[in-house]
Amino acid sequence: MKKYLFAILCVFLSACGGTQTKNKKVSVQSLEAKQASGVVLIKNTYYYSIDFDSNLTVYFTGIDDEGNIQGVTFDENEVKPVTCYGTGFFVSKDGLIATNAHVASPTFSTKDVRAAIVGAFNNLSDKVQDAVNQQTERLGELRLLIDAGNSEYMSQYQELAQKRDGNQKLVNAINRINSAECDYSRHSDIGVAFNNTHVRNTDDFTDCVTVTTDEEHDLALIQLKTKETPKKLFVFDMSMSKTSKRSMRNGDDEENKRKKRASSLAGKTLYMIGFNLGPQLALTKEGLKAQITKGEVSQNTDEDKIMYTIPSLHGSSGSPVLDSQGKVVAVNFAGFDKTQNFNFGIKVNHLVELLQTIE
């Protein structure tokens, strides 16, 4: 009887121990020692070009908040690419890294690009047309002087007429460009640097390519060109995708389960591992160091986003947001410019769905 009771007690304790292990809460120390190795600093250097069917290519570096085009040039060799930094994290052993779409593929709508280009050209056209009008007026004055017998003005007249005709051709060319169809492209060079490594120059970044993006939810997957996650680097578990597919086959309502999991986060502790301000804060004498920050879920805003009190700065876009068991619950993507105390994350189910599109 005693042996029987002892066996039951052992089974009970084992079951309790298993539950404790399953629900064991992580600490900042354990996150830094293990999971932080799977987080990378992303560097994206890029510029844009727009090709018109008039055989003209214009290069530029962006569009400001007022819709003005930046860094315009007609010579690709004169382009000064923009560099931005973000955060990503490994989600597979074959080098797949999750991040934000605005980190991996910063884009504008073709409509906005065309409007900005046309606006810039129109401003230029107006300025050149003003010069043409002034030059035409001056040519009239010189013509009167020449007709009155002042032949010394002839060389000045001829030189100014040549400039005026050249400017008029430029105005005509700009007007043709404004009515031409165009094709807009982004030229991007993406690389990542690993946590706890020394980064001294661009050669210390490992080359990546963009695999796919979800612009609606600001998510992207990039991949090391080697297609192999370096050994000993942590890979965040995205096995929810397999569970989701299996549940769909079994007829389970997976969407309701996801909503239930999301609602259970309210008020819970969350952690974020990322590179606030990119290399500015991360570079130390000991190498590149990701920051681990802590907060709480302050609001389940909708089915796509959650809001939390984790401090966040530019550069942390794409960081994994983890629950108290160290599981990914969101991908950090935005905050308020006037405060770092409230930030948003895209719920993990959208990342799971994006991963499913490439399986």
Side-chain angles (χ1 to χ4, degrees):
M1 182 66 177
K2 290 182 178 180
K3 290 183 179 180
Y4 178 71
L5 291 174
F6 180 74
I8 294 176
L9 180 61
C10 287
V11 171
F12 175 77
L13 291 175
S14 176
C16 290
T19 302
Q20 289 176 349
T21 300
K22 181 179 179 181
N23 297 321
K24 183 178 179 181
K25 294 185 177 181
V26 296
S27 64
V28 173
Q29 292 76 16
S30 65
L31 288 176
E32 185 174 12
K34 185 178 181 182
Q35 292 179 250
S37 69
V39 178
V40 297
L41 174 66
I42 299 175
K43 179 177 70 68
N44 192 355
T45 302
Y46 59 92
Y47 63 95
Y48 307 91
S49 66
I50 184 165
D51 297 315
F52 292 89
D53 59 11
S54 55
N55 295 321
L56 173 70
T57 300
V58 179
Y59 303 93
F60 63 101
T61 55
I63 301 174
D64 66 18
D65 294 337
E66 297 179 355
N68 300 314
I69 199 156
Q70 304 292 302
V72 180
T73 179
F74 296 97
D75 185 351
E76 190 171 11
N77 294 323
E78 295 180 355
V79 177
K80 296 180 180 179
V82 174
T83 296
C84 73
Y85 292 93
T87 301
F89 56 100
F90 284 106
V91 292
S92 76
K93 292 182 179 179
D94 56 356
L96 276 177
I97 298 168
T99 188
N100 287 143
H102 77 260
V103 172
S105 303
T107 57
F108 305 97
S109 72
T110 300
K111 180 180 178 181
D112 290 341
V113 171
R114 179 173 177 77
I117 288 284
V118 169
F121 282 176
N122 283 339
N123 289 335
L124 177 60
S125 177
D126 291 342
K127 291 179 180 179
V128 178
Q129 186 62 60
D130 287 342
V132 168
N133 295 338
Q134 292 175 15
Q135 290 165 343
T136 299
E137 183 178 349
R138 177 55 180 164
L139 285 170
E141 296 172 353
L142 291 173
R143 185 76 258 177
L144 291 175
L145 291 172
I146 293 170
D147 291 344
N150 299 300
S151 59
E152 67 269 21
Y153 290 103
M154 180 58 71
S155 60
Q156 184 179 346
Y157 178 89
Q158 292 173 341
E159 183 179 349
L160 184 58
Q162 187 176 7
K163 288 182 179 179
R164 191 274 312 271
D165 292 344
N167 285 335
Q168 188 60 62
K169 288 181 180 179
L170 178 57
V171 171
N172 295 339
I174 292 172
N175 292 335
R176 286 196 300 272
I177 290 172
N178 285 350
S179 62
E181 294 298 323
C182 60
D183 186 22
Y184 150 63
S185 303
R186 185 187 71 258
H187 307 267
S188 184
D189 182 15
I190 304 177
V192 299
F194 306 123
N195 196 35
N196 286 320
T197 62
H198 287 283
V199 178
R200 298 181 179 86
N201 52 56
T202 56
D203 293 336
D204 294 324
F205 284 80
T206 302
D207 291 337
C208 293
V209 296
T210 300
V211 177
T212 187
T213 60
D214 175 0
E215 299 290 343
E216 180 183 357
H217 300 107
D218 197 12
L219 292 172
L221 292 171
I222 65 176
Q223 187 172 33
L224 299 180
K225 286 187 176 181
T226 60
K227 293 187 176 182
E228 183 178 356
T229 301
K231 294 180 180 179
K232 297 183 179 179
L233 296 190
F234 186 82
V235 176
F236 289 83
D237 184 13
M238 293 290 113
S239 59
M240 284 176 62
S241 58
K242 296 179 180 178
T243 303
S244 177
K245 287 184 176 181
R246 184 169 59 251
S247 297
M248 290 172 65
R249 287 196 299 267
N250 294 336
D252 294 338
D253 189 353
E254 187 66 18
E255 185 62 26
N256 287 336
K257 291 181 179 180
R258 286 177 180 172
K259 289 181 179 180
K260 185 177 180 180
R261 283 194 296 268
S263 63
S264 67
L265 288 174
K268 298 295 180 65
T269 297
L270 296 179
Y271 299 91
M272 184 177 75
I273 310 176
F275 294 96
N276 286 297
L277 294 182
Q280 188 173 335
L281 294 180
L283 288 176
T284 71
K285 292 181 179 179
E286 298 177 355
L288 196 69
K289 298 287 185 181
Q291 301 96 39
I292 301 175
T293 45
K294 181 180 179 181
E296 294 182 350
V297 176
S298 54
Q299 183 182 22
N300 280 297
T301 56
D302 53 36
E303 63 181 10
D304 295 331
K305 303 183 292 291
I306 56 174
M307 187 167 74
Y308 37 76
T309 60
I310 301 175
S312 177
L313 297 168
H314 295 293
S316 63
S317 294
S319 300
V321 179
L322 315 173
D323 64 14
S324 58
Q325 278 76 49
K327 296 179 181 179
V328 179
V329 296
V331 180
N332 187 60
F333 86 110
F336 294 104
D337 289 337
K338 294 183 179 180
T339 176
Q340 287 80 46
N341 294 328
F342 294 97
N343 297 285
F344 286 102
I346 291 292
K347 292 181 179 178
V348 69
N349 59 290
H350 294 294
L351 176 57
V352 170
E353 291 168 359
L354 186 61
L355 280 164
Q356 289 177 357
T357 64
I358 64 172
E359 289 184 354

